[in-house]
Amino acid sequence: GPDLRERWRIAGVNNPSDVKVGPDGTVWVVESNMNRVTGRTPAGQQTVTRTMSQPLNLDLTPDGGMLIFSRHQVQELDKE
């Protein structure tokens, strides 16, 4: 709301360079120094890990997939 109260906080991530919240509430975190993208609950529990060299950011696609951008490549992943 307009008071900008904290809704959730995720600690213990390593050098996050981008974060997106999916329509299902999954918090997607790009952890550049760990060479991974993680899916987490708003409580911080890690549920998915995708390893890739030097990820920088991501975009969620309308069909439920995502695009992950790194220093060396772009990957499109489907929702499965």
Side-chain angles (χ1 to χ4, degrees):
D3 55 4
L4 298 178
R5 288 189 210 180
E6 183 176 290
R7 298 166 93 190
W8 49 262
R9 176 188 306 216
I10 296 178
V13 295
N14 191 312
N15 192 34
S17 61
D18 195 16
V19 175
K20 299 282 190 308
V21 179
D24 64 353
T26 300
V27 180
W28 294 100
V29 182
V30 177
E31 298 180 67
S32 297
N33 284 353
M34 297 297 288
N35 291 315
R36 68 185 184 187
V37 175
T38 57
R40 297 172 181 263
T41 67
Q45 180 183 11
Q46 189 172 317
T47 58
V48 178
T49 300
R50 176 71 180 199
T51 303
M52 106 182 269
S53 179
Q54 299 179 329
L56 300 172
N57 57 18
L58 65 87
D59 280 325
L60 301 176
T61 60
D63 65 356
M66 71 175 61
L67 294 167
I68 304 174
F69 305 88
S70 77
R71 292 193 185 277
H72 310 289
Q73 63 186 341
V74 176
Q75 287 185 359
E76 181 175 13
L77 308 176
D78 62 24
K79 64 182 178 181
E80 305 300 321

